């Protein structure tokens, strides 16, 4: 069965960096695009970034462009999100999800990012 | 501020029918892009409920149904059950945002 397990969350000071990982199993990881979606405390879901199956295309929401980088290692079945220059408004639960045509069919349980001094 | 607008909350008694609307614009739903729905129950991973406006993934009860018309879409839950209590989000694709996926503002479903 499809499994997505996020890790790497934690408490970080504003302006610092954090790298999230998403370990995938139960499907051919290299054949699928992948997304990161976040949920700030008390808020709704917000799409963050998307990477094609071969990493040839990457897309970001405007608020993270230039600060976040989505990447993947198909040999390790792992998706990453490098988050730099973190701000208070970046705090929340970050989910990775498998991409289908225009929708997201499987999601992980999420990893919590807290940005605080 | 979400590109897709949903009512903040809906409620119903067990067994009743509730509907959740999702209103977009000419750059997303109105442009012909499909609407998808997700269920997010407390403490769990979001779950795909409806894809391609009306399709249910395997394992999703037929109590859940979706529709789309013009710049809006709707999710209907019939035979409401206590286990349905949680948050529901619509999602589509928006051409004005660099080819990004967009989520609705979310709707809290309460079973009375």
């Amino acid at each position: 069965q499809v499994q997505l397990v996020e890790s790497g969350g934690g408490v970080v000071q504003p302006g610092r960096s954090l790298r999230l990982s998403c370990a995938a199993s139960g499907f051919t990881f290299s054949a699928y695009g992948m997304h990161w979606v976040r949920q700030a405390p008390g808020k709704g879901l917000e799409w963050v970034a998307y990477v094609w199956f071969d990493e040839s295309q990457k897309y970001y929401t405007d608020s993270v462009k230039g600060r976040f980088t989505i990447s993947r290692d198909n040999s390790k079945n792992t998706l990453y999100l490098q988050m730099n220059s973190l701000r208070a408004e970046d705090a929340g639960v970050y989910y990775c999800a498998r991409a289908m045509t225009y929708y997201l069919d499987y999601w992980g349980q999420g990893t919590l990012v807290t940005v605080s001094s | 501020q979400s590109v897709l607008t949903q009512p903040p909350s809906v409620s119903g008694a067990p067994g009743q029918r509730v509907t959740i609307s999702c209103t977009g614009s000419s750059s997303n739903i109105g442009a012909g892009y499909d609407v998808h729905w997700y269920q997010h129950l407390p403490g769990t991973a979001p779950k795909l409920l409806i894809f391609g406006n009306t399709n249910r993934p395997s394992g999703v009860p037929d109590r859940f149904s979706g529709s789309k018309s013009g710049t809006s879409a709707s999710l209907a839950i019939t035979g409401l059950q206590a286990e349905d209590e949680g948050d529901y989000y619509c999602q589509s694709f928006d051409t004005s945002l660099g080819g990004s996926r967009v989520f609705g503002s979310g709707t809290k479903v309460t079973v009375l």
Side-chain angles (χ1 to χ4, degrees), chain B residues 4 22-31 35 68-73:
Chain B
L4 305 178
C22 174
T23 303
S25 67
S26 58
S27 63
N28 42 69
I29 300 175
V35 177
K68 174 193 166 185
S69 179
T71 58
S72 297

Side-chain angles (χ1 to χ4, degrees), chain B residues 42-99:
Chain B
T44 69
K47 173 187 172 183
L48 178 66
L49 207 58
I50 297 286
F51 67 95
N53 304 316
T54 61
N55 304 290
R56 285 185 308 276
S58 174
V60 173
D62 59 6
R63 302 187 295 105
F64 296 92
S65 62
S67 64
K68 174 193 166 185
S69 179
T71 58
S72 297
S74 289
L75 173 72
I77 310 174
T78 57
L80 195 63
Q81 298 181 3
E83 67 204 48
D84 299 332
E85 188 161 287
D87 297 321
Y88 292 77
Y89 296 88
C90 61
Q91 178 253 313
S92 188
F93 181 89
D94 194 292
T95 58
S96 69
L97 298 173

